[in-house]
Amino acid sequence: MGRWSALSATTRDVVVAAGWFLFGVLLYLAGFGMMFAADAEAGPLWPRIVILALASAVLLVRRRAPITAMVLGLVPLTLDLSLGPTLPVWLVYTDLIYAAVVYGTRRQMEGAVVAWLALSATAAGIVLAITGDWHLMALALVLAAAFVGTSLWWGLTVRAHKETADAERARARAQSLVAELDRQAAVADERKAMARDLHDVIAGHLSAIALQSEAALGTLDGAAADPRLAGVLGSIRTNSVEALREMRTMIGLLRRDGDTDQTTAPGRLAQLPGLVAAARQAGMPVRVQLDLGATVPAGAVDQAAYRIVQEAVTNVMKHAPGQEVDIDVRAESTALTVTVRNTLTGRPPPAPGSGTATADRRGLTNMRERATALGGTLRAGPEAGVWWVRARLPLAAVPGTTGDPR
């Protein structure tokens, strides 16, 4: 059964047509072809085989055009009837009736059933009108029930099973879709729960950092306090408060299920003054050149540019505290260029394998990956006693808007 179902519809029709033809020839050769004994000696056998071949050939289109095949099958059926009805040809035609019921549209199926029932009743009435013999009319009804009625009943039964199977498959697909939607909803709920947990944990730590740094600032004696220590503590508080605000904004975006009409991600380059102020509070002289013209990079370009500057300034605070930092961000015709430079100090670089060296490599890797993900480039390293970070981010990576960034 599996091999039969694996065959194409055309191949199956060819096999059915060949099978009926060979079966009919065997019936003729065995002497069981004639339906009535009076026609047993009616002419040679080869015209019957030719008519059987014509009827079998019509079976080749029984699936693709079932109604057309049933109508075309009337031609060999009429020829066979004119020579004396034979069992093989009528059996082949019952398959055409069956195919019309099974493979036709619902309207075609209903039309075929009504037409054959009416035709059978009409034929029985004509026999009675011509012969006046009730026995012949009863025989006509028996023949109609055997050849037409059986084909219609079997075709309707198979069609009902097919429609039931199709409905079950459609219901199974619907249940599978509902299960997948339930799974996605469960995953989304779990992610929201994780976002809430993440917010609760990190927000608690950031809030503690902000409060403790504020308390530390309050304990400093204004006159005797080290200005650099006060600047570092102020920078810690500013950065912790800013990080807490950004995290809450992003958590809000994740919880809105894609509705960003009311809540939008914070502008990254717009936060550059806050980053510069925090660095200056830590005792770092910072000079900024921001030239975006009429272009405001949006989305990923804006965020990547800010994060690259932030990472570079953080590295300077760790490895060259107190050194001057020059930040240059400018928009060209097709790209946004970011340059951060600072003078190197005599402090030796961190030892390979240490936590500081690993963090440095991770920071450089993050900056490089941000640029590469947008189709840009990033280079970082020392040149003539100066540490450079140069990034080029294509503006076409994310569509921008127009406006004044400052």
Side-chain angles (χ1 to χ4, degrees):
M1 186 64 183
R3 293 182 178 179
W4 175 256
S5 300
L7 298 175
S8 65
T10 302
T11 302
R12 279 182 278 178
D13 287 342
V14 170
V15 173
V16 169
W20 274 119
F21 178 74
L22 294 176
F23 180 70
V25 171
L26 289 176
L27 288 178
Y28 282 136
L29 295 178
F32 298 110
M34 302 305 172
M35 295 178 61
F36 301 106
D39 298 326
E41 302 297 332
L45 189 60
W46 67 266
R48 305 287 188 172
I49 295 179
V50 171
I51 294 174
L52 176 63
L54 292 176
S56 300
V58 177
L59 290 172
L60 297 176
V61 294
R62 61 195 285 272
R63 279 176 210 272
R64 290 172 291 176
I67 300 300
T68 302
M70 186 178 68
V71 174
L72 290 177
L74 292 174
V75 175
L77 186 68
T78 303
L79 293 175
D80 180 74
L81 187 61
S82 66
L83 297 178
T86 59
L87 184 60
V89 175
W90 283 73
L91 287 176
V92 170
Y93 195 78
T94 60
D95 192 286
L96 293 175
I97 297 175
Y98 163 84
V101 174
V102 174
Y103 303 118
T105 64
R106 175 162 292 275
R107 179 174 296 180
Q108 291 174 343
M109 177 269 293
E110 293 173 351
V113 171
V114 172
W116 277 110
L117 291 177
L119 184 60
S120 299
T122 302
I126 292 175
V127 170
L128 179 62
I130 294 176
T131 63
D133 190 343
W134 290 92
H135 295 87
L136 291 178
M137 186 194 73
L139 179 61
L141 289 176
V142 169
L143 291 176
F147 289 99
V148 178
T150 302
S151 299
L152 294 177
W153 167 76
W154 186 245
L156 290 172
T157 301
V158 172
R159 187 184 183 98
H161 283 296
K162 288 182 61 178
E163 291 177 347
T164 300
D166 292 340
E168 290 295 330
R169 281 193 291 268
R171 188 175 68 175
R173 287 193 296 268
Q175 290 177 345
S176 176
L177 178 59
V178 170
E180 176 62 20
L181 293 176
D182 289 342
R183 187 193 67 81
Q184 293 178 1
V187 171
D189 290 340
E190 183 64 21
R191 287 179 175 175
K192 289 180 181 179
M194 293 173 64
R196 287 192 296 268
D197 294 341
L198 180 65
H199 173 269
D200 294 341
V201 173
I202 298 180
H205 290 298
L206 290 175
S207 299
I209 292 173
L211 291 173
Q212 291 170 3
S213 59
E214 179 67 22
L217 284 173
T219 61
L220 293 178
D221 188 348
D226 185 352
R228 293 189 58 183
L229 178 59
V232 170
L233 290 174
S235 176
I236 290 173
R237 185 181 185 283
T238 301
N239 286 331
S240 60
V241 171
E242 181 64 19
L244 184 61
R245 185 183 70 83
E246 285 190 29
M247 187 189 65
R248 285 174 175 168
T249 302
M250 297 307 296
I251 293 295
L253 283 173
L254 292 175
R255 290 178 176 175
R256 292 186 69 86
D257 294 331
D259 182 8
T260 57
D261 292 338
Q262 301 297 327
T263 304
T264 58
R268 298 305 184 188
L269 287 177
Q271 295 177 332
L272 196 56
L275 175 64
V276 172
R280 287 171 177 167
Q281 287 180 357
M284 292 175 53
V286 181
R287 291 191 295 269
V288 180
Q289 293 290 331
L290 187 63
D291 184 9
L292 301 181
T295 302
V296 178
V301 175
D302 188 18
Q303 180 179 356
Y306 177 81
R307 294 305 183 192
I308 289 172
V309 173
Q310 184 184 46
E311 183 68 30
V313 172
T314 301
N315 288 338
V316 176
M317 293 176 66
K318 288 192 300 183
H319 302 299
Q323 298 297 318
E324 293 184 352
V325 179
D326 292 314
I327 302 173
D328 186 281
V329 181
R330 64 183 64 246
E332 300 176 353
S333 58
T334 59
L336 182 72
T337 61
V338 178
T339 304
V340 182
R341 62 179 294 274
N342 66 278
T343 305
L344 292 175
T345 64
R347 177 185 299 181
S354 65
T356 303
T358 302
D360 291 346
R361 286 195 302 271
R362 187 181 299 113
L364 292 175
T365 300
N366 290 340
M367 289 192 293
R368 189 170 288 108
E369 288 180 350
R370 287 181 184 275
T372 303
L374 298 175
T377 59
L378 184 137
R379 290 180 299 166
E383 292 182 13
V386 177
W387 182 272
W388 290 86
V389 174
R390 299 185 181 95
R392 182 178 178 85
L393 308 176
L395 290 174
V398 175
T401 58
T402 58
D404 190 354
R406 289 157 289 185

